[in-house]
Amino acid sequence: MAERRYRSASGAPLALRCRQHSASCRELAVRCPRLQLRSLSAVTSAVWLAAYGLFVLCENSVVLSAAIFLMLIGLIIYLHCVKIDQESLLVIGSLGIQLTSSYASGKESTTFIEMSQVKDVVINEAIHMQKVIYYLCILLRDPQDPQGVSEVVPLFQVSVTE
Amino acid sequence: MVLKVFFPSCCSSAESGILIGRWISEQNSAVILAVVHFPFIPVQVKHYLREVQQVTKVSVSVLGSWNNSKQEKEESLSEFLEDLGTIFSHEPWIQISKEGDSKFWNCSTLQKQSDIHREEEIILVYYDQRKVMLSHLHPPLDTADHGAEDASKLSAIFNTVANSKVLFMTDRYDDGPIKMTHWQSDGIEASIIVELMKQASVPACMLLTFLLSLVSGVCNSRVLKFWPLSFLWSKLSTCEQLGHRLQHLQVISSSKKAQNQTQLMRKANIFVSLLIDVALGILLMSWLYRKNQIGHLADTLIPVADHVAEELQDLLQWLMGAPAGLKMNRALDQVLGRFFLYHIHLWISYIHLMSPFIEMILWYVGLSACLGLTVALCILSDIIALLTFHIYCFYVYGARLYCLKIYGLSSLWRLFRGKKWNVLRQRVDSCSYDLDQLFIGTLLFTILLFLLPTTALYYLVFTLLRLLVVIVQGLIHLLVDLINSVPLYSIILRFCRSYRLAAGVKFRVLEQQDGKPLRLLMQINPLSYGNVVQTYRLPTYSCYPKDSWTSLCKKLFLGELIYPWKHKGEKQE
């Protein structure tokens, strides 16, 4: 249950939590920083200022209601599909690896990779903007060709790049 | 290797007994299917298991013992349970015991033959028997190719549970020699309506097949294969859509049983999409015929066509003057303008000739909406194509003229540089021209170059008009394609019974105690909607433009005719 603090590639604070459920089952969870009130209010005020500017120019109140709708829908989409709160990795010995990313709205998307599919786990490097970042990824076995790799699954994707 | 015990969650309150299920040695895991209660006669159990094996082709065996003690621990029973292991020999012998209402069970294995007593870790995985039995893993395994299933995968567990369906279908009130606990179906659902429909579906399908064979026989007859007619059929989108629907009906009414899940889903999807299509079509028809909407439609259609022609005339007049302040070649401008104006004049007289019959035609055409909304939409697309035939003609004339000029200019430009196109070698060679040739060529080049803006303007205006019509038709075709291809049944199934279409599994770690085995809950991870649509999308006949945007622009620039859809209704008249 130890929680350790790190920084992501862009400098945002991250919290890593390890839990040992049993000898063969262990869970690693990376928590991303939550949605800041500061940035939320900044975006809201920016949208509203723009809407008021347009309203003054064209004197049509449709602009204001459109701004409300845009703001609401944008926020819902952001919370439900974009903003990831926590990413966790559940490793169950001889059964498989489960990746879970939970969104800010509570939605969870899960993928389970069977142990027989896992070929290897490697640390890869990639060029992101102007720097080189390192990330962990799982190589999946190709069912047709035992030597080949069918897919590369990056782990803790958002936590690394955010 | 860790020992995994897949335990059905419905058996957690079963009385003491023995566990039966399948042992998958590749994964070192045991899939428990049912609990046989005390008392039983071992010979009868063995006999029963043999019968089950024959029916289900799953190697079901006794895997261990299950002890659910409500009161204090009974010493004698635990010894007795160990002794059971000698009667039903299985390696390893799994012993699970539950005390009172405790959530944490004791789980141990007994290895008789092996001398080394190693402490194996055990994971208890709970699963919902019903959901696992009914779900289908995606992507579907093509078992026909492999023959035997791959036992090292999780799908082996799904197959085991699904194949032993017979085990669960036994009647709960049927007093057999063996009492078991497993997921119990409530008997086969039966209602009079469903039974009647099942009975009626067979003759209905036969009748449908007969009618379809008649229709397709007529369609394939020699009379309709002659040149002008076959050409007409291939260009009318209505005919394409009708042919597509005919194929669908043939698939549905065929007496062959669907071999696998994919085909079954395909049939169901086609059926639902056909139903929805016809329902929408009948809705449209009821709206059309209620307050004489057809008459209103016909009354507005002719003025609209007239209006379009008038607008075109105005446009041509504008082009014949000095459009947007451009100075054109006056003589060529006048010739082109008069040519197009005469065409429009012809068109208007044609429309006026047609106008008395339009309402009647529309009335009969409207009846075809009962064949489905898609058919009605295709007819609409064809009518648009027919009514904007003059625009198509203008476009073709403009494009041909422009194309001629562009090609002439490019070849003369080569002459200008002392080169020529070698047809045999498909390349540009250098060539020495005479003085006369050069003189004439340069003269022609100049004339063509100075006449190009006039033609280009006409070409541009008519291409824009043509693109407008094509976009409207394209939207209609997109709608038709959408209705044709959306797998509605799969989407509804995913929405209502999300476990039926499984993308995989997910595990949840349940709370645990030290010294007790790890407990996991296996849940079914449903397929995402995008994947459902991707997997079960019905194939359509319509092909999207194959050329990319750049090649399209290149074609437009060179004046080649663009055909965005293979099936277009503009060419016939």
Side-chain angles (χ1 to χ4, degrees):
Chain A
M1 277 292 260
E3 190 174 283
R4 277 178 282 175
R5 306 207 158 271
Y6 293 98
R7 288 199 169 273
S8 74
S10 58
L14 293 176
L16 174 74
R17 180 186 288 185
C18 302
R19 282 176 76 178
Q20 185 90 31
H21 290 295
S22 80
S24 65
C25 179
R26 156 192 297 228
E27 190 173 6
L28 303 167
V30 171
R31 183 172 284 283
C32 307
R34 289 189 167 276
L35 186 61
Q36 296 283 318
L37 188 67
R38 216 180 328 158
S39 54
L40 186 67
S41 48
V43 170
T44 316
S45 49
V47 168
W48 272 97
L49 278 178
Y52 266 115
L54 271 178
F55 175 66
V56 168
L57 275 179
C58 62
E59 295 189 349
N60 193 347
S61 61
V62 175
V63 176
L64 293 181
S65 39
I68 295 176
F69 268 107
L70 273 182
M71 193 68 213
L72 277 177
I73 291 169
L75 194 67
I76 288 171
I77 290 175
Y78 179 74
L79 288 181
H80 199 67
C81 304
V82 180
K83 174 72 184 160
I84 289 179
D85 247 11
Q86 181 177 320
E87 279 181 299
S88 66
L89 183 74
L90 182 70
V91 184
I92 310 166
S94 84
L95 198 61
I97 299 170
Q98 176 168 289
L99 325 170
T100 312
S101 37
S102 24
Y103 291 86
S105 67
K107 187 182 96 170
E108 282 194 346
S109 73
T110 313
T111 21
F112 181 76
I113 301 168
E114 286 172 49
M115 234 15 150
S116 61
Q117 268 187 299
V118 176
K119 186 176 165 65
D120 208 347
V121 179
V122 294
I123 295 176
N124 224 344
E125 53 186 14
I127 297 172
H128 183 254
M129 308 297 273
Q130 81 287 10
K131 59 191 165 195
V132 175
I133 56 172
Y134 301 94
Y135 62 94
L136 200 63
C137 59
I138 300 176
L139 305 182
L140 299 190
R141 203 184 295 277
D142 199 352
Q144 268 86 45
D145 170 27
Q147 300 296 318
V149 175
S150 68
E151 206 180 326
V152 178
V153 182
L155 303 177
F156 303 120
Q157 202 174 359
V158 178
S159 321
V160 167
T161 53
E162 198 173 82
Chain B
M1 205 164 174
V2 186
L3 180 81
K4 287 146 289 190
V5 180
F6 289 84
F7 196 86
S9 46
C10 51
C11 293
S12 58
S13 57
E15 290 165 35
S16 307
I18 52 170
L19 304 165
I20 59 172
R22 183 187 167 196
W23 173 253
I24 303 172
S25 55
E26 286 92 341
Q27 298 184 45
N28 199 20
S29 57
V31 185
I32 308 243
L33 294 171
V35 176
V36 175
H37 300 185
F38 294 127
F40 56 80
I41 302 163
V43 182
Q44 275 182 344
V45 172
K46 280 180 181 170
H47 184 68
Y48 180 72
L49 287 182
R50 218 173 298 131
E51 275 179 11
V52 169
Q53 265 186 37
Q54 270 177 0
V55 177
T56 60
K57 306 274 187 297
V58 176
S59 51
V60 182
S61 54
V62 177
L63 295 179
S65 63
W66 160 252
N67 182 19
N68 184 5
S69 53
K70 298 269 173 12
Q71 292 91 31
E72 290 86 59
K73 205 172 178 184
E74 299 152 37
E75 284 297 323
S76 56
L77 195 61
S78 64
E79 271 178 27
F80 165 64
L81 289 175
E82 278 181 24
D83 289 345
L84 269 177
T86 52
I87 302 172
F88 302 103
S89 57
H90 191 268
E91 192 70 19
W93 182 253
I94 301 162
Q95 285 179 309
I96 304 176
S97 62
K98 177 186 174 189
E99 285 159 29
D101 288 332
S102 163
K103 280 187 283 185
F104 310 103
W105 303 348
N106 280 318
C107 206
S108 59
T109 53
L110 223 65
Q111 306 259 2
K112 271 160 288 176
Q113 278 128 31
S114 60
D115 308 326
I116 344 143
H117 274 279
R118 55 203 165 91
E119 271 298 307
E120 251 189 331
E121 200 195 339
I122 299 173
I123 300 179
L124 259 178
V125 184
Y126 298 97
Y127 71 93
D128 191 327
Q129 212 161 32
R130 176 165 169 269
K131 287 184 177 176
V132 169
M133 187 183 84
L134 290 176
S135 74
H136 291 278
L137 269 182
H138 287 77
L141 286 172
D142 36 354
T143 40
D145 284 357
H146 298 288
E149 49 169 15
D150 195 357
S152 62
K153 289 204 174 146
L154 216 57
S155 58
I157 292 156
F158 275 72
N159 282 338
T160 306
V161 181
N163 285 340
S164 41
K165 198 173 170 180
V166 187
L167 198 68
F168 312 130
M169 284 304 172
T170 48
D171 197 342
R172 131 176 35 177
Y173 305 108
D174 190 14
D175 258 350
I178 298 162
K179 286 205 166 43
M180 289 197 293
T181 298
H182 44 70
W183 169 69
Q184 181 69 53
S185 76
D186 299 328
I188 298 157
E189 276 182 41
S191 76
I192 292 174
I193 299 169
V194 172
E195 284 302 311
L196 278 178
M197 275 170 76
K198 267 186 194 168
Q199 293 296 322
S201 71
V202 176
C205 273
M206 279 171 67
L207 187 70
L208 199 62
T209 318
F210 175 68
L211 285 178
L212 284 175
S213 62
L214 267 186
V215 169
S216 55
V218 169
C219 286
N220 289 331
S221 64
R222 277 268 184 86
V223 185
L224 298 175
K225 291 270 169 168
F226 284 124
W227 175 72
L229 281 176
S230 64
F231 184 71
L232 202 71
W233 299 146
S234 69
K235 295 301 170 201
L236 278 176
S237 57
T238 317
C239 291
E240 292 286 337
Q241 177 63 26
L242 282 175
H244 191 62
R245 280 295 181 217
L246 203 70
Q247 276 179 5
H248 277 178
L249 276 174
Q250 271 167 351
V251 168
I252 290 176
S253 66
S254 72
S255 52
K256 253 192 284 177
K257 198 166 178 280
Q259 280 151 4
N260 52 25
Q261 174 67 11
T262 325
Q263 282 184 3
L264 187 77
M265 289 295 269
R266 181 153 183 269
K267 267 192 179 181
N269 279 327
I270 288 175
F271 186 67
V272 171
S273 105
L274 209 70
L275 269 188
I276 293 280
D277 189 20
V278 169
L280 285 175
I282 288 174
L283 215 70
L284 178 79
M285 206 167 78
S286 71
W287 178 76
L288 274 180
Y289 286 88
R290 207 165 39 197
K291 289 177 205 153
N292 195 20
Q293 293 279 1
I294 293 271
H296 290 295
L297 214 66
D299 286 346
T300 51
L301 201 63
I302 295 295
V304 163
D306 263 352
H307 186 69
V308 169
E310 270 171 32
E311 288 288 319
L312 275 177
Q313 259 175 341
D314 286 349
L315 184 73
L316 281 172
Q317 294 286 358
W318 181 67
L319 284 177
M320 280 163 74
L326 290 174
K327 198 162 185 200
M328 321 295 285
N329 184 307
R330 189 161 172 73
L332 182 65
D333 204 22
Q334 290 291 327
V335 167
L336 282 177
R338 287 217 188 105
F339 174 68
F340 288 130
L341 275 181
Y342 177 65
H343 210 285
I344 288 180
H345 174 73
L346 271 183
W347 178 252
I348 288 177
S349 50
Y350 165 71
I351 292 244
H352 281 260
L353 210 69
M354 284 277 290
S355 55
F357 310 107
I358 284 276
E359 188 175 345
M360 207 169 68
I361 292 174
L362 275 184
W363 202 87
Y364 284 114
V365 161
L367 284 179
S368 68
C370 68
L371 290 175
L373 183 68
T374 49
V375 176
L377 282 174
C378 280
I379 287 178
L380 180 71
S381 158
D382 284 347
I383 286 177
I384 288 177
L386 281 174
L387 284 183
T388 56
F389 185 68
H390 46 329
I391 291 178
Y392 176 71
C393 282
F394 292 167
Y395 167 69
V396 172
Y397 301 149
R400 285 279 179 247
L401 217 59
Y402 179 77
C403 185
L404 209 68
K405 287 227 162 140
I406 288 285
Y407 275 102
L409 273 176
S410 66
S411 84
L412 288 172
W413 174 245
R414 261 179 251 129
L415 176 135
F416 215 55
R417 291 180 300 152
K419 304 213 159 138
K420 71 167 188 184
W421 175 252
N422 191 335
V423 184
L424 292 177
R425 299 199 168 171
Q426 295 285 309
R427 66 173 191 200
V428 176
D429 285 344
S430 59
C431 171
S432 59
Y433 291 100
D434 297 343
L435 197 65
D436 294 351
Q437 284 174 328
L438 273 176
F439 178 69
I440 294 286
T442 317
L443 211 63
L444 278 177
F445 181 79
T446 327
I447 292 171
L448 280 184
L449 190 67
F450 283 122
L451 290 183
L452 184 69
T454 314
T455 345
L457 190 74
Y458 276 89
Y459 172 67
L460 180 76
V461 169
F462 292 128
T463 306
L464 286 180
L465 280 177
R466 169 82 191 136
L467 280 180
L468 197 75
V469 174
V470 163
I471 286 170
V472 169
Q473 275 190 302
L475 287 178
I476 291 174
H477 277 270
L478 218 61
L479 194 64
V480 170
D481 258 15
L482 196 74
I483 298 174
N484 271 342
S485 68
V486 166
L488 218 56
Y489 176 75
S490 312
I491 292 173
I492 294 170
L493 198 67
R494 163 70 184 81
F495 185 70
C496 300
R497 301 260 186 281
S498 56
Y499 56 86
R500 290 290 294 272
L501 306 172
V505 291
K506 54 186 174 188
F507 290 93
R508 223 180 65 209
V509 180
L510 300 174
E511 63 173 317
Q512 51 172 336
Q513 231 174 22
D514 287 338
K516 300 283 166 79
L518 178 73
R519 303 186 316 142
L520 297 174
L521 181 68
M522 187 167 89
Q523 288 165 318
I524 288 177
N525 202 6
L527 210 62
S528 68
Y529 282 102
N531 268 335
V532 169
V533 172
Q534 210 176 15
T535 317
Y536 291 109
R537 214 175 76 87
L538 297 169
T540 52
Y541 57 89
S542 179
C543 60
Y544 289 99
K546 287 205 179 71
D547 35 299
S548 61
W549 287 104
T550 47
S551 71
L552 187 75
C553 288
K554 198 180 158 198
K555 270 188 173 180
L556 279 178
F557 181 73
L558 288 179
E560 286 170 33
L561 295 182
I562 44 161
Y563 293 113
W565 266 269
K566 209 164 66 176
H567 319 284
K568 286 192 325 137
E570 292 89 4
K571 269 195 165 175
Q572 80 291 335
E573 244 298 292

